[in-house]
Amino acid sequence: MSEPLVRCPSCSDMVPYRTDNPYRPFCCKGCKAFDLGAWASEQFRVEVKPTTEDLLDNDGL
Ligand SMILES: [Zn+2]
């Protein structure tokens, strides 16, 4: 039985997708931490941006 391979989203290495790998789909702890950091800063940017709904609400129709 061969394990399915997935591409690490962080460093693009091919890694076996194993349920006992706590870092899946990443290859290692470092790659997972790096991706979570990028995701967090992305979230922060989205949060400070006003939503379309807010802009429509302030239009005063
Ligand atoms: Zn990696």
Side-chain angles (χ1 to χ4, degrees):
M1 294 281 274
S2 64
E3 290 154 335
L5 286 174
V6 293
R7 196 175 288 277
C8 172
S10 193
C11 71
S12 298
D13 265 2
M14 294 307 287
V15 291
Y17 190 89
R18 298 167 56 111
T19 49
D20 61 353
N21 171 15
Y23 312 120
R24 70 184 187 278
F26 304 94
C27 65
C28 62
K29 187 181 183 179
C31 279
K32 183 169 185 172
F34 179 82
D35 193 76
L36 286 178
W39 184 83
S41 45
E42 195 69 30
Q43 277 294 107
F44 181 72
R45 237 181 291 154
V46 169
E47 269 178 35
V48 292
K49 224 170 70 179
T51 64
T52 312
E53 226 177 346
D54 284 339
L55 292 175
L56 289 174
D57 220 31
N58 293 337
D59 210 31
L61 286 172

CSV table of all heavy atoms in Angstrom, one decimal:
chain,number,residue,atom,x,y,z
A,1,MET,N,0.8,-1.2,0.0
A,1,MET,CA,0.0,0.0,0.0
A,1,MET,C,0.9,1.3,0.0
A,1,MET,O,1.7,1.4,0.9
A,1,MET,CB,-0.9,0.0,1.3
A,1,MET,CG,-1.9,-1.1,1.3
A,1,MET,SD,-3.3,-0.7,0.2
A,1,MET,CE,-4.3,0.2,1.4
A,2,SER,N,0.7,2.1,-1.0
A,2,SER,CA,1.5,3.4,-1.0
A,2,SER,C,0.6,4.5,-0.5
A,2,SER,O,-0.6,4.5,-0.7
A,2,SER,CB,2.0,3.7,-2.4
A,2,SER,OG,0.9,3.9,-3.2
A,3,GLU,N,1.2,5.4,0.2
A,3,GLU,CA,0.4,6.5,0.8
A,3,GLU,C,0.2,7.6,-0.3
A,3,GLU,O,1.1,7.8,-1.1
A,3,GLU,CB,1.2,7.2,2.0
A,3,GLU,CG,1.2,6.2,3.2
A,3,GLU,CD,2.4,6.5,4.0
A,3,GLU,OE1,3.4,7.0,3.5
A,3,GLU,OE2,2.3,6.2,5.2
A,4,PRO,N,-0.9,8.3,-0.3
A,4,PRO,CA,-1.1,9.4,-1.2
A,4,PRO,C,-0.2,10.5,-0.9
A,4,PRO,O,0.1,10.8,0.3
A,4,PRO,CB,-2.6,9.8,-1.0
A,4,PRO,CG,-2.9,9.3,0.4
A,4,PRO,CD,-2.1,8.1,0.6
A,5,LEU,N,0.3,11.2,-2.0
A,5,LEU,CA,1.3,12.3,-1.8
A,5,LEU,C,0.5,13.6,-1.9
A,5,LEU,O,-0.3,13.7,-2.8
A,5,LEU,CB,2.4,12.2,-2.8
A,5,LEU,CG,3.5,11.1,-2.5
A,5,LEU,CD1,4.4,11.1,-3.7
A,5,LEU,CD2,4.2,11.4,-1.2
A,6,VAL,N,0.8,14.5,-1.1
A,6,VAL,CA,0.3,15.9,-1.2
A,6,VAL,C,1.4,16.9,-1.3
A,6,VAL,O,2.5,16.6,-0.8
A,6,VAL,CB,-0.7,16.3,-0.1
A,6,VAL,CG1,-1.9,15.4,-0.1
A,6,VAL,CG2,0.0,16.2,1.3
A,7,ARG,N,1.1,18.0,-1.9
A,7,ARG,CA,2.2,19.0,-2.0
A,7,ARG,C,2.1,19.9,-0.8
A,7,ARG,O,1.0,20.5,-0.5
A,7,ARG,CB,2.0,19.8,-3.3
A,7,ARG,CG,3.2,20.6,-3.7
A,7,ARG,CD,3.0,21.3,-5.0
A,7,ARG,NE,3.1,20.3,-6.1
A,7,ARG,CZ,4.2,19.9,-6.7
A,7,ARG,NH1,5.4,20.3,-6.2
A,7,ARG,NH2,4.2,19.0,-7.6
A,8,CYS,N,3.1,20.1,-0.1
A,8,CYS,CA,3.2,21.0,1.1
A,8,CYS,C,2.8,22.4,0.6
A,8,CYS,O,3.5,22.9,-0.3
A,8,CYS,CB,4.5,21.0,1.7
A,8,CYS,SG,4.7,22.2,3.0
A,9,PRO,N,1.8,23.0,1.1
A,9,PRO,CA,1.4,24.4,0.6
A,9,PRO,C,2.4,25.4,0.9
A,9,PRO,O,2.4,26.5,0.3
A,9,PRO,CB,0.1,24.7,1.4
A,9,PRO,CG,-0.3,23.4,2.0
A,9,PRO,CD,0.9,22.5,2.1
A,10,SER,N,3.3,25.2,1.8
A,10,SER,CA,4.3,26.2,2.1
A,10,SER,C,5.6,26.1,1.3
A,10,SER,O,6.0,27.1,0.8
A,10,SER,CB,4.6,26.0,3.6
A,10,SER,OG,5.3,27.1,4.1
A,11,CYS,N,6.2,24.9,1.2
A,11,CYS,CA,7.4,24.8,0.5
A,11,CYS,C,7.3,24.0,-0.8
A,11,CYS,O,8.3,23.8,-1.5
A,11,CYS,CB,8.5,24.2,1.4
A,11,CYS,SG,8.2,22.5,1.8
A,12,SER,N,6.1,23.5,-1.1
A,12,SER,CA,5.9,22.7,-2.3
A,12,SER,C,6.6,21.4,-2.4
A,12,SER,O,6.8,20.8,-3.5
A,12,SER,CB,6.2,23.6,-3.6
A,12,SER,OG,5.4,24.7,-3.6
A,13,ASP,N,7.1,20.9,-1.3
A,13,ASP,CA,7.6,19.5,-1.3
A,13,ASP,C,6.5,18.5,-1.3
A,13,ASP,O,5.4,18.8,-0.8
A,13,ASP,CB,8.4,19.3,0.0
A,13,ASP,CG,9.9,19.6,-0.2
A,13,ASP,OD1,10.3,20.0,-1.3
A,13,ASP,OD2,10.7,19.4,0.8
A,14,MET,N,6.8,17.3,-1.9
A,14,MET,CA,5.8,16.3,-1.9
A,14,MET,C,5.9,15.5,-0.6
A,14,MET,O,7.0,15.0,-0.3
A,14,MET,CB,5.9,15.3,-3.1
A,14,MET,CG,5.7,16.0,-4.4
A,14,MET,SD,4.1,16.8,-4.6
A,14,MET,CE,3.0,15.4,-4.7
A,15,VAL,N,4.8,15.4,0.1
A,15,VAL,CA,4.9,14.7,1.4
A,15,VAL,C,3.8,13.7,1.5
A,15,VAL,O,2.7,13.9,0.9
A,15,VAL,CB,4.7,15.7,2.6
A,15,VAL,CG1,6.0,16.5,2.7
A,15,VAL,CG2,3.5,16.5,2.5
A,16,PRO,N,4.0,12.5,2.1
A,16,PRO,CA,3.0,11.5,2.2
A,16,PRO,C,1.9,12.0,3.1
A,16,PRO,O,2.1,12.6,4.2
A,16,PRO,CB,3.7,10.3,2.8
A,16,PRO,CG,5.0,10.8,3.3
A,16,PRO,CD,5.3,12.1,2.6
A,17,TYR,N,0.6,11.9,2.7
A,17,TYR,CA,-0.5,12.3,3.5
A,17,TYR,C,-0.9,11.2,4.5
A,17,TYR,O,-1.5,10.2,4.1
A,17,TYR,CB,-1.7,12.6,2.6
A,17,TYR,CG,-2.8,13.3,3.3
A,17,TYR,CD1,-2.8,14.7,3.4
A,17,TYR,CD2,-3.8,12.6,3.9
A,17,TYR,CE1,-3.9,15.4,4.0
A,17,TYR,CE2,-4.9,13.3,4.6
A,17,TYR,CZ,-4.9,14.7,4.6
A,17,TYR,OH,-5.9,15.3,5.3
A,18,ARG,N,-0.5,11.4,5.7
A,18,ARG,CA,-0.7,10.4,6.7
A,18,ARG,C,-1.5,11.0,7.8
A,18,ARG,O,-1.3,12.2,8.2
A,18,ARG,CB,0.6,9.9,7.3
A,18,ARG,CG,1.5,9.2,6.3
A,18,ARG,CD,2.9,9.1,6.9
A,18,ARG,NE,2.8,8.4,8.2
A,18,ARG,CZ,3.3,7.1,8.4
A,18,ARG,NH1,3.9,6.5,7.5
A,18,ARG,NH2,3.1,6.6,9.6
A,19,THR,N,-2.5,10.2,8.3
A,19,THR,CA,-3.3,10.8,9.4
A,19,THR,C,-2.6,10.9,10.7
A,19,THR,O,-3.0,11.7,11.6
A,19,THR,CB,-4.5,9.9,9.6
A,19,THR,OG1,-4.1,8.5,9.7
A,19,THR,CG2,-5.5,10.0,8.5
A,20,ASP,N,-1.4,10.2,10.8
A,20,ASP,CA,-0.6,10.4,12.0
A,20,ASP,C,0.4,11.5,11.9
A,20,ASP,O,1.2,11.7,12.8
A,20,ASP,CB,0.0,9.1,12.5
A,20,ASP,CG,1.0,8.6,11.4
A,20,ASP,OD1,1.0,9.2,10.3
A,20,ASP,OD2,1.7,7.6,11.7
A,21,ASN,N,0.4,12.3,10.8
A,21,ASN,CA,1.2,13.4,10.7
A,21,ASN,C,0.5,14.6,11.2
A,21,ASN,O,-0.4,15.1,10.6
A,21,ASN,CB,1.6,13.6,9.2
A,21,ASN,CG,2.4,14.9,9.0
A,21,ASN,OD1,2.8,15.6,9.9
A,21,ASN,ND2,2.4,15.3,7.8
A,22,PRO,N,0.9,15.2,12.4
A,22,PRO,CA,0.1,16.3,12.9
A,22,PRO,C,0.3,17.6,12.1
A,22,PRO,O,-0.5,18.5,12.3
A,22,PRO,CB,0.8,16.5,14.3
A,22,PRO,CG,2.2,15.9,14.2
A,22,PRO,CD,2.0,14.8,13.2
A,23,TYR,N,1.2,17.6,11.2
A,23,TYR,CA,1.4,18.8,10.4
A,23,TYR,C,0.8,18.8,9.0
A,23,TYR,O,1.0,19.7,8.2
A,23,TYR,CB,2.9,19.1,10.3
A,23,TYR,CG,3.6,19.0,11.6
A,23,TYR,CD1,4.7,18.1,11.8
A,23,TYR,CD2,3.2,19.8,12.7
A,23,TYR,CE1,5.3,17.9,13.0
A,23,TYR,CE2,3.9,19.7,13.9
A,23,TYR,CZ,4.9,18.7,14.1
A,23,TYR,OH,5.5,18.6,15.3
A,24,ARG,N,0.1,17.7,8.7
A,24,ARG,CA,-0.5,17.5,7.4
A,24,ARG,C,-1.4,18.7,7.1
A,24,ARG,O,-2.1,19.2,8.0
A,24,ARG,CB,-1.2,16.2,7.3
A,24,ARG,CG,-2.5,16.1,8.1
A,24,ARG,CD,-3.1,14.8,8.0
A,24,ARG,NE,-4.4,14.7,8.7
A,24,ARG,CZ,-4.6,14.6,10.0
A,24,ARG,NH1,-3.6,14.5,10.8
A,24,ARG,NH2,-5.8,14.6,10.5
A,25,PRO,N,-1.6,19.2,5.9
A,25,PRO,CA,-0.9,18.7,4.7
A,25,PRO,C,0.5,19.3,4.6
A,25,PRO,O,1.1,19.2,3.5
A,25,PRO,CB,-1.8,19.2,3.6
A,25,PRO,CG,-2.3,20.5,4.1
A,25,PRO,CD,-2.5,20.3,5.6
A,26,PHE,N,1.1,19.8,5.6
A,26,PHE,CA,2.4,20.4,5.5
A,26,PHE,C,3.4,19.3,5.8
A,26,PHE,O,3.1,18.2,6.3
A,26,PHE,CB,2.6,21.5,6.5
A,26,PHE,CG,1.6,22.6,6.3
A,26,PHE,CD1,0.4,22.6,7.1
A,26,PHE,CD2,1.8,23.6,5.4
A,26,PHE,CE1,-0.5,23.6,6.9
A,26,PHE,CE2,0.8,24.6,5.2
A,26,PHE,CZ,-0.3,24.6,6.0
A,27,CYS,N,4.7,19.6,5.4
A,27,CYS,CA,5.7,18.5,5.6
A,27,CYS,C,6.3,18.5,7.0
A,27,CYS,O,6.8,17.5,7.5
A,27,CYS,CB,6.8,18.7,4.5
A,27,CYS,SG,7.8,20.2,4.7
A,28,CYS,N,6.2,19.7,7.6
A,28,CYS,CA,6.9,19.8,8.9
A,28,CYS,C,6.3,20.9,9.7
A,28,CYS,O,5.5,21.7,9.3
A,28,CYS,CB,8.4,20.0,8.8
A,28,CYS,SG,8.8,21.5,7.9
A,29,LYS,N,6.7,21.0,11.0
A,29,LYS,CA,6.1,22.0,11.9
A,29,LYS,C,6.4,23.4,11.4
A,29,LYS,O,5.6,24.3,11.5
A,29,LYS,CB,6.8,21.7,13.3
A,29,LYS,CG,6.2,22.6,14.4
A,29,LYS,CD,6.9,22.3,15.7
A,29,LYS,CE,6.3,23.2,16.8
A,29,LYS,NZ,7.0,22.9,18.1
A,30,GLY,N,7.6,23.6,10.9
A,30,GLY,CA,8.0,24.9,10.5
A,30,GLY,C,7.1,25.4,9.3
A,30,GLY,O,6.7,26.6,9.4
A,31,CYS,N,6.8,24.6,8.4
A,31,CYS,CA,6.0,25.0,7.3
A,31,CYS,C,4.5,25.3,7.8
A,31,CYS,O,3.9,26.2,7.3
A,31,CYS,CB,5.9,23.9,6.2
A,31,CYS,SG,7.4,23.9,5.1
A,32,LYS,N,4.0,24.5,8.7
A,32,LYS,CA,2.7,24.8,9.2
A,32,LYS,C,2.6,26.1,9.9
A,32,LYS,O,1.7,26.9,9.7
A,32,LYS,CB,2.2,23.7,10.1
A,32,LYS,CG,0.8,23.9,10.6
A,32,LYS,CD,0.3,22.6,11.3
A,32,LYS,CE,-1.2,22.9,11.6
A,32,LYS,NZ,-1.8,21.7,12.1
A,33,ALA,N,3.6,26.4,10.7
A,33,ALA,CA,3.7,27.6,11.5
A,33,ALA,C,3.8,28.8,10.6
A,33,ALA,O,3.1,29.8,10.7
A,33,ALA,CB,4.8,27.6,12.5
A,34,PHE,N,4.6,28.7,9.5
A,34,PHE,CA,4.7,29.7,8.5
A,34,PHE,C,3.4,30.1,7.9
A,34,PHE,O,3.0,31.2,7.7
A,34,PHE,CB,5.8,29.3,7.5
A,34,PHE,CG,6.0,30.4,6.4
A,34,PHE,CD1,6.9,31.4,6.7
A,34,PHE,CD2,5.4,30.3,5.2
A,34,PHE,CE1,7.1,32.4,5.7
A,34,PHE,CE2,5.6,31.3,4.2
A,34,PHE,CZ,6.4,32.3,4.5
A,35,ASP,N,2.7,29.0,7.5
A,35,ASP,CA,1.4,29.2,6.8
A,35,ASP,C,0.4,29.9,7.7
A,35,ASP,O,-0.4,30.7,7.3
A,35,ASP,CB,0.9,27.9,6.2
A,35,ASP,CG,-0.2,28.1,5.2
A,35,ASP,OD1,0.1,28.5,4.1
A,35,ASP,OD2,-1.4,27.9,5.6
A,36,LEU,N,0.3,29.4,8.9
A,36,LEU,CA,-0.7,30.0,9.9
A,36,LEU,C,-0.4,31.4,10.1
A,36,LEU,O,-1.3,32.3,10.2
A,36,LEU,CB,-0.6,29.2,11.2
A,36,LEU,CG,-1.2,27.8,11.1
A,36,LEU,CD1,-1.1,27.1,12.5
A,36,LEU,CD2,-2.7,27.9,10.8
A,37,GLY,N,0.9,31.8,10.1
A,37,GLY,CA,1.3,33.2,10.3
A,37,GLY,C,0.8,34.0,9.1
A,37,GLY,O,0.2,35.1,9.3
A,38,ALA,N,1.0,33.5,7.9
A,38,ALA,CA,0.5,34.3,6.8
A,38,ALA,C,-1.0,34.4,6.8
A,38,ALA,O,-1.5,35.5,6.4
A,38,ALA,CB,1.0,33.5,5.5
A,39,TRP,N,-1.7,33.3,7.2
A,39,TRP,CA,-3.1,33.4,7.2
A,39,TRP,C,-3.6,34.4,8.2
A,39,TRP,O,-4.6,35.1,8.0
A,39,TRP,CB,-3.6,32.0,7.6
A,39,TRP,CG,-5.1,31.8,7.5
A,39,TRP,CD1,-5.9,31.6,6.5
A,39,TRP,CD2,-6.0,31.9,8.7
A,39,TRP,NE1,-7.2,31.5,6.8
A,39,TRP,CE2,-7.3,31.7,8.2
A,39,TRP,CE3,-5.8,32.1,10.0
A,39,TRP,CZ2,-8.4,31.7,9.0
A,39,TRP,CZ3,-6.9,32.2,10.9
A,39,TRP,CH2,-8.2,32.0,10.4
A,40,ALA,N,-2.9,34.4,9.4
A,40,ALA,CA,-3.3,35.4,10.4
A,40,ALA,C,-3.2,36.8,10.0
A,40,ALA,O,-4.1,37.6,10.2
A,40,ALA,CB,-2.5,35.1,11.7
A,41,SER,N,-2.1,37.2,9.3
A,41,SER,CA,-2.0,38.5,8.9
A,41,SER,C,-3.0,38.9,7.8
A,41,SER,O,-3.4,40.0,7.6
A,41,SER,CB,-0.5,38.8,8.4
A,41,SER,OG,-0.1,37.7,7.6
A,42,GLU,N,-3.3,37.9,7.0
A,42,GLU,CA,-4.3,38.0,5.9
A,42,GLU,C,-5.7,38.4,6.6
A,42,GLU,O,-6.4,39.3,6.2
A,42,GLU,CB,-4.4,36.8,5.1
A,42,GLU,CG,-5.2,37.0,3.8
A,42,GLU,CD,-4.4,37.8,2.8
A,42,GLU,OE1,-3.1,37.8,2.8
A,42,GLU,OE2,-5.0,38.6,2.0
A,43,GLN,N,-6.0,37.6,7.6
A,43,GLN,CA,-7.3,37.8,8.3
A,43,GLN,C,-7.3,39.3,8.9
A,43,GLN,O,-8.3,39.9,8.8
A,43,GLN,CB,-7.4,36.8,9.5
A,43,GLN,CG,-7.9,35.5,9.1
A,43,GLN,CD,-9.3,35.6,8.6
A,43,GLN,OE1,-9.6,35.5,7.4
A,43,GLN,NE2,-10.3,35.8,9.5
A,44,PHE,N,-6.2,39.7,9.5
A,44,PHE,CA,-6.1,41.0,10.1
A,44,PHE,C,-6.4,42.1,9.0
A,44,PHE,O,-7.2,43.0,9.3
A,44,PHE,CB,-4.7,41.2,10.7
A,44,PHE,CG,-4.6,42.5,11.3
A,44,PHE,CD1,-5.2,42.8,12.6
A,44,PHE,CD2,-3.8,43.6,10.8
A,44,PHE,CE1,-5.1,44.0,13.2
A,44,PHE,CE2,-3.7,44.8,11.4
A,44,PHE,CZ,-4.3,45.0,12.6
A,45,ARG,N,-5.9,41.9,7.8
A,45,ARG,CA,-6.1,42.9,6.8
A,45,ARG,C,-7.6,42.9,6.4
A,45,ARG,O,-8.1,44.0,6.1
A,45,ARG,CB,-5.2,42.5,5.6
A,45,ARG,CG,-4.3,43.7,5.2
A,45,ARG,CD,-3.5,43.3,4.0
A,45,ARG,NE,-2.5,42.3,4.2
A,45,ARG,CZ,-2.0,41.5,3.3
A,45,ARG,NH1,-2.4,41.6,2.1
A,45,ARG,NH2,-1.1,40.6,3.6
A,46,VAL,N,-8.2,41.8,6.3
A,46,VAL,CA,-9.6,41.7,6.0
A,46,VAL,C,-10.5,42.4,7.0
A,46,VAL,O,-11.4,43.1,6.7
A,46,VAL,CB,-10.0,40.2,5.8
A,46,VAL,CG1,-11.6,40.2,5.7
A,46,VAL,CG2,-9.4,39.6,4.6
A,47,GLU,N,-10.1,42.2,8.3
A,47,GLU,CA,-10.9,42.8,9.3
A,47,GLU,C,-10.9,44.3,9.4
A,47,GLU,O,-11.9,44.9,9.7
A,47,GLU,CB,-10.4,42.2,10.7
A,47,GLU,CG,-11.1,41.0,11.1
A,47,GLU,CD,-10.6,40.4,12.4
A,47,GLU,OE1,-10.2,41.2,13.2
A,47,GLU,OE2,-10.5,39.2,12.5
A,48,VAL,N,-9.8,44.9,9.0
A,48,VAL,CA,-9.7,46.4,9.1
A,48,VAL,C,-10.4,47.0,7.9
A,48,VAL,O,-10.7,48.2,7.9
A,48,VAL,CB,-8.3,46.9,9.2
A,48,VAL,CG1,-7.7,46.6,10.6
A,48,VAL,CG2,-7.4,46.4,8.1
A,49,LYS,N,-10.6,46.2,6.8
A,49,LYS,CA,-11.3,46.8,5.6
A,49,LYS,C,-12.8,46.9,5.8
A,49,LYS,O,-13.4,45.9,6.3
A,49,LYS,CB,-10.9,45.9,4.4
A,49,LYS,CG,-10.6,46.6,3.2
A,49,LYS,CD,-10.0,45.7,2.1
A,49,LYS,CE,-11.1,44.8,1.5
A,49,LYS,NZ,-10.6,43.9,0.5
A,50,PRO,N,-13.4,48.0,5.5
A,50,PRO,CA,-14.9,48.1,5.6
A,50,PRO,C,-15.5,47.2,4.6
A,50,PRO,O,-15.1,47.0,3.5
A,50,PRO,CB,-15.2,49.5,5.3
A,50,PRO,CG,-14.0,50.0,4.5
A,50,PRO,CD,-12.8,49.2,5.0
A,51,THR,N,-16.6,46.5,5.0
A,51,THR,CA,-17.3,45.6,4.1
A,51,THR,C,-18.2,46.4,3.2
A,51,THR,O,-18.6,47.5,3.4
A,51,THR,CB,-18.2,44.6,4.9
A,51,THR,OG1,-19.2,45.3,5.6
A,51,THR,CG2,-17.3,43.8,5.9
A,52,THR,N,-18.6,45.7,2.1
A,52,THR,CA,-19.6,46.4,1.1
A,52,THR,C,-20.9,46.7,1.8
A,52,THR,O,-21.5,47.7,1.5
A,52,THR,CB,-19.8,45.4,0.0
A,52,THR,OG1,-18.6,44.9,-0.5
A,52,THR,CG2,-20.5,46.1,-1.2
A,53,GLU,N,-21.3,45.9,2.8
A,53,GLU,CA,-22.5,46.1,3.5
A,53,GLU,C,-22.4,47.4,4.3
A,53,GLU,O,-23.4,48.2,4.3
A,53,GLU,CB,-22.8,44.9,4.4
A,53,GLU,CG,-24.2,44.5,4.4
A,53,GLU,CD,-24.4,43.3,5.2
A,53,GLU,OE1,-23.4,42.6,5.7
A,53,GLU,OE2,-25.6,42.9,5.5
A,54,ASP,N,-21.3,47.6,4.9
A,54,ASP,CA,-21.1,48.9,5.7
A,54,ASP,C,-21.2,50.1,4.8
A,54,ASP,O,-21.9,51.1,5.1
A,54,ASP,CB,-19.7,48.9,6.3
A,54,ASP,CG,-19.7,48.0,7.5
A,54,ASP,OD1,-20.8,47.7,8.1
A,54,ASP,OD2,-18.6,47.5,7.9
A,55,LEU,N,-20.6,50.0,3.6
A,55,LEU,CA,-20.6,51.2,2.7
A,55,LEU,C,-22.1,51.4,2.2
A,55,LEU,O,-22.5,52.6,2.1
A,55,LEU,CB,-19.7,50.9,1.5
A,55,LEU,CG,-18.2,50.8,1.8
A,55,LEU,CD1,-17.5,50.3,0.6
A,55,LEU,CD2,-17.7,52.1,2.3
A,56,LEU,N,-22.8,50.4,1.9
A,56,LEU,CA,-24.2,50.6,1.5
A,56,LEU,C,-25.0,51.2,2.6
A,56,LEU,O,-25.9,52.0,2.4
A,56,LEU,CB,-24.8,49.2,1.0
A,56,LEU,CG,-24.2,48.7,-0.3
A,56,LEU,CD1,-24.7,47.3,-0.6
A,56,LEU,CD2,-24.5,49.6,-1.5
A,57,ASP,N,-24.8,50.7,3.8
A,57,ASP,CA,-25.5,51.2,5.0
A,57,ASP,C,-25.3,52.7,5.2
A,57,ASP,O,-26.3,53.4,5.6
A,57,ASP,CB,-25.1,50.4,6.2
A,57,ASP,CG,-26.2,50.0,7.1
A,57,ASP,OD1,-27.3,49.8,6.5
A,57,ASP,OD2,-26.0,49.9,8.3
A,58,ASN,N,-24.1,53.1,4.9
A,58,ASN,CA,-23.8,54.6,5.2
A,58,ASN,C,-24.3,55.5,4.0
A,58,ASN,O,-24.0,56.7,4.0
A,58,ASN,CB,-22.3,54.7,5.4
A,58,ASN,CG,-21.9,54.0,6.7
A,58,ASN,OD1,-22.7,53.8,7.6
A,58,ASN,ND2,-20.6,53.7,6.8
A,59,ASP,N,-24.9,54.9,3.0
A,59,ASP,CA,-25.2,55.6,1.8
A,59,ASP,C,-26.5,56.5,2.1
A,59,ASP,O,-26.7,57.5,1.5
A,59,ASP,CB,-25.5,54.7,0.7
A,59,ASP,CG,-25.2,55.3,-0.7
A,59,ASP,OD1,-24.2,56.2,-0.7
A,59,ASP,OD2,-25.8,55.0,-1.6
A,60,GLY,N,-27.3,56.2,3.1
A,60,GLY,CA,-28.4,57.0,3.5
A,60,GLY,C,-29.6,57.0,2.5
A,60,GLY,O,-30.2,58.0,2.2
A,61,LEU,N,-29.9,55.8,2.0
A,61,LEU,CA,-31.0,55.7,1.1
A,61,LEU,C,-32.4,55.7,1.7
A,61,LEU,O,-32.6,55.1,2.7
A,61,LEU,CB,-30.9,54.4,0.2
A,61,LEU,CG,-29.8,54.5,-0.9
A,61,LEU,CD1,-29.6,53.2,-1.5
A,61,LEU,CD2,-30.1,55.6,-1.9
B,1,ZN,ZN,7.0,22.2,3.7
